[in-house]
Amino acid sequence: MNTNNRNIKNEIEEKLNDDVLRGALGRFAEAYPVSRAKAYENVADVEALREQVRQMKMGTVADIDNLAAKFEAEATSRGAKVFRAHDGEALKKYLINLCQEKNVKRIVKSKSMASEEIHLNHDLEAAGLHVKETDLGEWIISLAGHKPSHMVMPAIHLNREQIADYFSRELKQEIPTDIPFMVQAARTALRSEFLQADMGISGANFGIAENGAIGLVTNEGNARLVTTLPRIHVVIIGYEKLIPTIKDAAPILRTLPRNATGQLMTSYMTMTSGVTPVMVKQAGKWVEQEKELHIILFDNGRLKAARDDKFKEIYQCVRCASCLNVCPVYTLVGGHVYGHIYAGGIGAILTAFLNSMGDFEKINELCIGCRKCVEICPGKIDIPHLIEELRAKAVREHGLPFGVKAVFENVLANRKVFHTLLRLAAIGQKPFQSGRLIRHLPLFLAGMAKDRSLPAVADSPFRDRVAKVTKTIDKPAKRIAFFSGCNIDFIFPETGEAVYKVLQNLNMEIVFPEEQSCCGKPVLGMGDRETAKRIARKNIEVFEAANADTILSACPTCAETWHQTYAELFADEPEWQVRAEKIGHKVCEFTSFVAGEYQKAGRLTKTAGHKKVTYHDSCHMKRGLGIYTEPRQLLAAAPGYELVEMKDCDKCCGMAGAFGVKYSELSMPILKQKLANIKASDAEVIAVACPACMMQIQGGLDKQLPAVKIKHVAEVLAENVKD
């Protein structure tokens, strides 16, 4: 483990032991989905609104140079001075020179994450300027000496007792923990700052090319004071905030408050354009003076992203931070573990462009790819996909660590070696094995099996059982090629047997191409596209030769990789891309395929049962493949079972491939939340359609809820199939 990982591990441990942080984030994560859903109750078509935001922002980035020029021209024609800052140093130099030229001594600030991005306050104070944050959250963290932990709620990691203590120190009086009192104390303390300030610095939620105006969406009103009272107003706005017309502000104003804080609208919506007179005190008298407006269009990597066919997607972000609000990792540890200014998955991507790829590489593994953020993002940004693209970029630039590269190239990409090692593991695990699980490990490995048992490699893999479970089908309805994936083949071969049983009961002929290997997802997840291509080519060749009507997988991760990723891998190889697309269209996930066949046969009738079963949605299944109704239909129709829904059924179980092992300290709290919901459902059986989820949840059940059994949906269905 390198030093950077050790530092992140230390940060994670510290945050996991911070009861104040965990309590605040836990309460917010619980309340947020409810308040957001309520805020959208009167929106007739939420998806259409999200699509409107996406299309508008896509059009913006496609024409960013012209829009920026128009915005500059319109703002200039209304009296503003526009400066384009290539990077943070250029911005700071311009601003400090402006302060010296205009004899600025005191500055008030509001709503500017871009200034946090370049640590602007530090340089302004080093230049002898008095700088005061006026957003309540920003003021609090400035008193605490912290960085923002959230893009919208920067002080979410602190409680009222801590804040009262910071206030007491700053104001040199005892401040009680009463929130209204603290807000009033802050208002009183900051009032003089507004009145004495020579310059106000603000950000902007959007800049309108049509008229050179900026828009600010706030709840406190301080931004209006910052933009109106001082004689000089400076706006720092990134290129990604530009929009074409005032009409284009409407979808942002409809989604931003709802997604950020669950509000229908914020308390203040401010639009400002051009310069207006301002009252200043001269020789003891108030006189009217023309206000100066300076707009800094900030690049710092933004234009590079705009010109990248893949990463221009980040321009669809409206900075609502809803992706953080639903991220399983963020809601455990907060934003500070991400190191830079921007947190969560979107923060990792922004860090790559606005700071450095090196900083991205330190934090990218904290995205577990659950896609909850994609489901909720107003701009429909595919955050996990962009993170995988950046991982691939990192691998292209400086390769994988030697050990990882050796395993990928010589083991995962070589089926015979890989499978031989798995067979050897089945023998080597015997001293630690208890039934089908490993409950205890020795020495430094003990922590891996502390709170969850680990799955044992099966004595006999599924490929060795195929001949015994294959039946001769007269006049088969279809010819199915079964892609087992590593987990079903070597960890859960009984699931493979259940799949055969169910399909053969539907009069399907099933073949198992023995040359098949791993789908390549572990390699793809690490960014090694070249090794993934080798694996994909071999699998494509093997299943082309199978000459099947359908390729079926009982693992949604494998199905998603075949169906959506293989063709993309070969974007630069047209012949292989065509082959990948052609065979990808044949790939089906087990429950969706069987539900369709059962529907045709009239076998989806709901039945009464005494045994309660609940269902966990795999992330790849629901949000990757869009499959969630079909497994429920099958379970509801399974004789002897009563389907009951559990809370947060589609929330990640914390497995996420290697993440579940490498970051077990994060994986386990996520799993414990899932186990608590399973227990609360009062179900005797938890059904899943993903072998990786089965691996994770089974391990937790064994240690904490041994009375509850876990079954793949295929196993539930097979119980009612006669041999």
Side-chain angles (χ1 to χ4, degrees):
M1 187 186 296
N2 62 36
T3 303
N4 289 331
N5 279 340
R6 280 200 300 271
N7 290 339
I8 290 175
K9 289 274 189 176
N10 291 341
E11 285 272 358
I12 289 170
E13 184 177 359
E14 178 186 327
K15 301 307 179 188
L16 288 174
N17 291 320
D18 185 337
D19 292 336
V20 172
L21 173 71
R22 293 290 301 279
L25 293 176
R27 288 188 295 273
F28 181 72
E30 187 78 15
Y32 172 76
V34 177
S35 59
R36 180 186 179 273
K38 187 170 180 59
Y40 274 106
E41 278 179 347
N42 294 321
V43 177
D45 192 337
V46 177
E47 289 309 303
L49 180 57
R50 293 176 68 216
E51 184 62 21
Q52 188 180 359
V53 173
R54 188 178 82 93
Q55 290 291 342
M56 182 269 289
K57 294 288 250 171
M58 285 172 61
T60 295
V61 72
D63 196 32
I64 192 65
D65 291 322
N66 289 331
L67 282 176
K70 183 172 178 57
F71 175 78
E72 180 177 356
E74 293 297 329
T76 301
S77 71
R78 289 163 173 79
K81 296 178 176 64
V82 179
F83 174 72
R84 299 203 188 197
H86 173 68
D87 56 20
E89 289 307 309
L91 188 155
K92 287 184 276 193
K93 183 179 178 181
Y94 176 86
L95 199 48
I96 290 171
N97 286 343
L98 178 64
C99 290
Q100 291 170 347
E101 178 188 336
K102 302 297 181 180
N103 195 31
V104 170
K105 303 296 183 187
R106 303 178 70 90
I107 299 173
V108 286
K109 291 178 71 246
S110 173
K111 294 290 174 193
S112 177
M113 282 297 290
S115 69
E116 293 280 3
E117 182 184 314
I118 59 173
H119 311 292
L120 177 62
N121 288 10
H122 177 270
D123 288 78
L124 293 177
E125 289 166 352
L129 296 158
H130 174 85
V131 183
K132 187 65 68 174
E133 294 288 351
T134 66
D135 288 320
L136 187 56
E138 290 283 354
W139 187 52
I140 291 167
I141 63 170
S142 71
L143 298 181
H146 296 173
K147 293 186 293 187
S149 62
H150 190 280
M151 282 190 276
V152 175
M153 296 166 285
I156 193 174
H157 59 291
L158 300 172
N159 66 10
R160 66 175 71 190
E161 286 77 20
Q162 292 170 314
I163 294 168
D165 184 51
Y166 292 130
F167 277 25
S168 297
R169 293 184 208 174
E170 173 71 9
L171 304 177
K172 296 179 174 56
Q173 65 181 85
E174 190 65 29
I175 301 295
T177 57
D178 179 68
I179 291 177
F181 186 93
M182 286 192 281
V183 171
Q184 183 58 40
R187 184 180 289 120
T188 302
L190 291 172
R191 187 171 296 143
S192 63
E193 296 289 345
F194 291 118
L195 294 172
Q196 296 177 65
D198 306 300
M199 175 184 286
I201 298 176
S202 77
N205 291 102
F206 49 83
I208 304 171
E210 181 181 47
N211 57 12
I214 66 155
L216 284 164
V217 180
T218 68
N219 275 320
E220 299 168 23
N222 57 313
R224 285 190 178 177
L225 297 174
V226 165
T227 61
T228 55
L229 287 180
R231 57 188 168 89
I232 301 171
H233 175 206
V234 176
V235 180
I236 300 174
I237 180 171
Y239 282 83
E240 78 281 9
K241 300 288 186 69
L242 297 179
I243 59 176
T245 71
I246 194 166
K247 287 183 179 179
D248 295 313
I252 295 176
L253 294 174
R254 293 183 70 199
T255 54
L256 177 55
R258 287 178 165 92
N259 265 60
T261 53
Q263 295 172 272
L264 294 178
M265 60 185 296
T266 52
S267 302
Y268 299 90
M269 199 285 120
T270 305
M271 300 267 260
T272 179
S273 175
V275 295
T276 55
V278 64
M279 300 302 292
V280 297
K281 206 169 190 178
Q282 293 180 356
K285 294 182 179 180
W286 289 98
V287 297
E288 187 175 276
Q289 177 179 309
E290 188 174 86
K291 186 181 181 72
E292 286 191 34
L293 173 61
H294 295 256
I295 300 176
I296 302 177
L297 259 178
F298 193 35
D299 181 0
N300 205 37
R302 288 164 170 82
L303 289 178
K304 181 181 178 182
R307 287 163 188 144
D308 188 291
D309 285 342
K310 290 185 174 71
F311 295 104
K312 64 185 180 182
E313 191 173 344
I314 65 174
Y315 272 65
Q316 292 158 219
C317 177
V318 299
R319 298 296 194 272
C320 67
S322 59
C323 52
L324 306 186
N325 302 344
V326 297
C327 173
V329 174
Y330 176 87
T331 52
L332 277 177
V333 295
H336 290 152
V337 299
Y338 293 88
H340 194 47
I341 297 303
Y342 300 105
I346 190 65
I349 300 165
L350 292 173
T351 294
F353 281 91
L354 309 183
N355 205 52
S356 74
M357 276 294 291
D359 286 301
F360 161 80
E361 289 168 41
K362 296 174 191 175
I363 60 175
N364 78 89
E365 290 178 326
L366 297 183
C367 172
I368 60 177
C370 73
R371 301 181 65 81
K372 194 74 174 175
C373 53
V374 184
E375 188 177 62
I376 206 169
C377 172
K380 295 187 172 182
I381 304 171
D382 193 341
I383 292 172
H385 180 70
L386 293 181
I387 287 176
E388 286 198 354
E389 289 289 342
L390 284 169
R391 288 173 183 162
K393 181 175 185 287
V395 171
R396 286 196 301 271
E397 289 178 354
H398 50 70
L400 288 165
F402 176 78
V404 175
K405 182 180 180 181
V407 169
F408 283 178
E409 292 183 353
N410 301 310
V411 178
L412 280 180
N414 188 320
R415 183 193 65 81
K416 290 183 179 179
V417 172
F418 182 36
H419 291 173
T420 298
L421 288 175
L422 286 170
R423 291 175 187 276
L424 290 173
I427 299 169
Q429 71 192 358
K430 294 297 183 185
F432 315 109
Q433 190 174 346
S434 176
R436 293 298 310 276
L437 296 167
I438 296 171
R439 294 187 170 92
H440 305 285
L441 286 171
L443 304 174
F444 62 91
L445 297 173
M448 293 175 62
K450 179 185 174 186
D451 296 313
R452 65 180 167 194
S453 299
L454 301 176
V457 178
D459 291 335
S460 172
F462 178 67
R463 61 182 53 241
D464 291 354
R465 307 182 188 196
V466 169
K468 293 179 182 178
V469 297
T470 301
K471 293 181 178 180
T472 301
I473 305 294
D474 294 328
K475 298 180 180 179
K478 286 182 182 177
R479 178 179 169 87
I480 308 291
F482 181 51
F483 183 80
S484 64
C486 308
N487 283 329
I488 289 178
D489 199 352
F490 285 89
I491 306 295
F492 301 115
E494 294 84 1
T495 300
E497 292 178 348
V499 167
Y500 264 57
K501 198 171 183 180
V502 171
L503 292 177
Q504 289 175 154
N505 181 250
L506 286 167
N507 201 40
M508 304 288 175
E509 176 191 5
I510 316 175
V511 295
F512 183 88
E514 289 198 3
E515 295 297 309
Q516 65 177 282
S517 188
C518 173
C519 67
K521 182 62 179 178
V523 180
L524 284 163
M526 290 287 287
D528 186 356
R529 297 286 176 85
E530 290 308 310
T531 303
K533 279 185 177 182
R534 287 173 55 195
I535 293 171
R537 283 192 189 97
K538 184 62 179 175
N539 278 330
I540 290 169
E541 288 174 339
V542 167
F543 278 84
E544 283 175 337
N547 194 29
D549 301 308
T550 299
I551 299 168
L552 191 132
S553 173
C555 172
T557 304
C558 294
E560 184 184 27
T561 302
W562 269 92
H563 193 62
Q564 298 178 11
T565 309
Y566 276 8
E568 185 183 328
L569 267 178
F570 297 108
D572 57 346
E573 299 180 45
E575 181 186 343
W576 274 100
Q577 187 174 47
V578 169
R579 291 173 70 176
E581 286 174 346
K582 185 177 179 180
I583 202 161
H585 288 307
K586 290 186 174 185
V587 176
C588 285
E589 183 276 330
F590 172 80
T591 65
S592 60
F593 178 82
V594 173
E597 296 299 318
Y598 274 25
Q599 181 73 50
K600 293 176 192 174
R603 293 171 59 177
L604 281 184
T605 306
K606 191 170 182 178
T607 61
H610 63 278
K611 186 180 289 187
K612 289 184 178 180
V613 59
T614 192
Y615 178 71
H616 160 72
D617 290 276
S618 144
C619 300
H620 287 281
M621 182 93 151
K622 184 180 181 186
R623 290 181 285 274
L625 296 173
I627 298 169
Y628 50 92
T629 302
E630 294 90 333
R632 288 175 168 81
Q633 291 175 326
L634 294 172
L635 292 171
Y641 285 95
E642 176 193 352
L643 176 63
V644 294
E645 292 288 356
M646 67 171 164
K647 180 183 177 184
D648 293 335
C649 53
D650 66 344
K651 194 169 183 178
C652 184
C653 67
M655 183 58 191
F659 173 90
V661 177
K662 188 171 183 179
Y663 290 95
S664 60
E665 65 272 39
L666 291 173
S667 177
M668 284 311 305
I670 297 172
L671 174 59
K672 285 178 180 177
Q673 292 174 359
K674 180 62 63 175
L675 295 176
N677 292 334
I678 293 170
K679 184 178 181 180
S681 75
D682 199 31
E684 300 170 66
V685 175
I686 167 73
V688 297
C690 173
C693 295
M694 187 152 68
M695 188 186 303
Q696 170 84 335
I697 297 172
Q698 174 185 262
L701 291 174
D702 182 62
K703 287 287 179 79
Q704 300 175 50
L705 289 175
V708 180
K709 304 305 176 187
I710 188 165
K711 297 180 181 182
H712 193 285
V713 175
E715 294 173 79
V716 174
L717 300 180
E719 290 174 5
N720 296 290
V721 174
K722 294 180 181 180
D723 291 323

